[in-house]
Amino acid sequence: MTSEPRRDCALCPRLAGFRAQNRETYPAYFNAPVPSFGTHDARLLIVGLAPGLHGANATGRPFTGDYAGDLLYRTLLRHGLAKGTYGRVASDGLELVDCAITNAVRCVPPENKPTPAEINTCRQFLTATISSMPHLRAILALGKIAHDSVLTALVARKKDHPFGHGTSYGIGRLLLVSSYHCSRYNTNTGKLTEEMFDDAVKEAKIAAMPQL
Ligand code: URA
């Protein structure tokens, strides 16, 4: 996929510093901006928050290696949006089917919390990713940060498109479907059940591939 930051991207000084620190602490990890997964001809784009320290930041593939990825990839496999076996590593051979996965922020942030400035700075890559997908019909945003960043990327007003689980809005040629983030915290607290998440993925799939 195009539209990726350079491996040594220094646009966000705090994130670049955290990356340098992680290269020392975890030399075997990927420790770089995590590129999107999937191809630019997909009709569905899934947008997460940012790589997890011991998940995507370790493996180099979005959502790969942590709890959120277990739930996400299990759900995608169930809906035929992925094929193969998810093995928690980037070399598992898993393939996405007509969908791609990216993050609102490409580098792992300390405590999983990117600052508003980092979200704004990294949006150029999200915008470029969206623009590089000519067949894109639907975006599934995981969590409010992804939802809001997609809205800004699409030049749509947050006030007119409030975030909620299961919301969907037509914006130009795209449908934006949103879900609570599939994090362990959200499922442990009961904010998001596997069924709720399944429903959101199903809705996004129908929006992207209406004939299926
Ligand atoms: N891993 C990601 O790549 N993104 C998330 O939002 C969470 C985990």
Side-chain angles (χ1 to χ4, degrees):
M1 209 156 192
T2 55
S3 341
E4 304 296 340
R6 297 154 39 124
R7 256 192 87 81
D8 59 350
C9 181
L11 291 173
C12 302
R14 188 183 76 120
L15 300 186
F18 191 48
R19 180 200 307 147
Q21 194 183 311
N22 287 328
R23 282 185 180 157
E24 299 274 316
T25 318
Y26 307 106
Y29 280 14
F30 183 74
N31 292 319
V34 175
S36 309
F37 179 29
T39 59
H40 62 84
D41 54 2
R43 285 181 289 178
L44 173 64
L45 177 66
I46 298 170
V47 182
L49 167 58
L53 177 58
H54 304 296
N57 176 66
T59 63
R61 195 175 72 182
F63 285 92
T64 300
D66 57 20
Y67 176 88
D70 291 350
L71 176 51
L72 176 62
Y73 287 113
R74 178 161 75 236
T75 309
L76 296 182
L77 282 162
R78 193 161 52 237
H79 286 285
L81 293 166
K83 64 180 180 195
T85 305
Y86 171 61
R88 294 186 134 227
V89 288
S91 59
D92 58 10
L94 186 85
E95 284 176 47
L96 297 179
V97 179
D98 214 355
C99 76
I101 307 175
T102 195
N103 280 306
V105 173
R106 305 294 176 95
C107 289
V108 57
E111 277 151 34
N112 251 334
K113 286 194 178 68
T115 65
E118 289 160 357
I119 298 164
N120 284 335
T121 298
C122 208
R123 188 174 306 105
Q124 62 190 284
F125 302 109
L126 177 62
T127 305
T129 299
I130 293 170
S131 307
S132 77
M133 300 182 72
H135 306 298
L136 189 64
R137 300 183 71 141
I139 297 178
L140 174 62
L142 304 182
K144 184 174 188 309
I145 288 178
H147 173 93
D148 286 351
S149 199
V150 168
L151 284 178
T152 305
L154 297 177
V155 201
R157 285 147 61 111
K158 290 184 209 159
K159 177 165 104 28
D160 298 333
H161 308 88
F163 171 74
H165 180 79
T167 55
S168 69
Y169 300 106
I171 301 170
R173 69 185 168 106
L174 299 176
L175 196 81
L176 171 61
V177 177
S178 296
S179 167
Y180 292 143
H181 192 282
C182 51
S183 65
R184 188 198 293 273
Y185 180 81
N186 280 346
T187 54
N188 277 353
T189 57
K191 181 171 178 162
L192 180 73
T193 63
E194 184 143 359
E195 194 184 357
M196 286 165 70
F197 189 59
D198 195 87
D199 284 346
V201 170
K202 197 186 307 167
E203 189 177 349
K205 180 184 170 184
I206 292 168
M209 300 139 204
Q211 79 281 15
L212 294 180

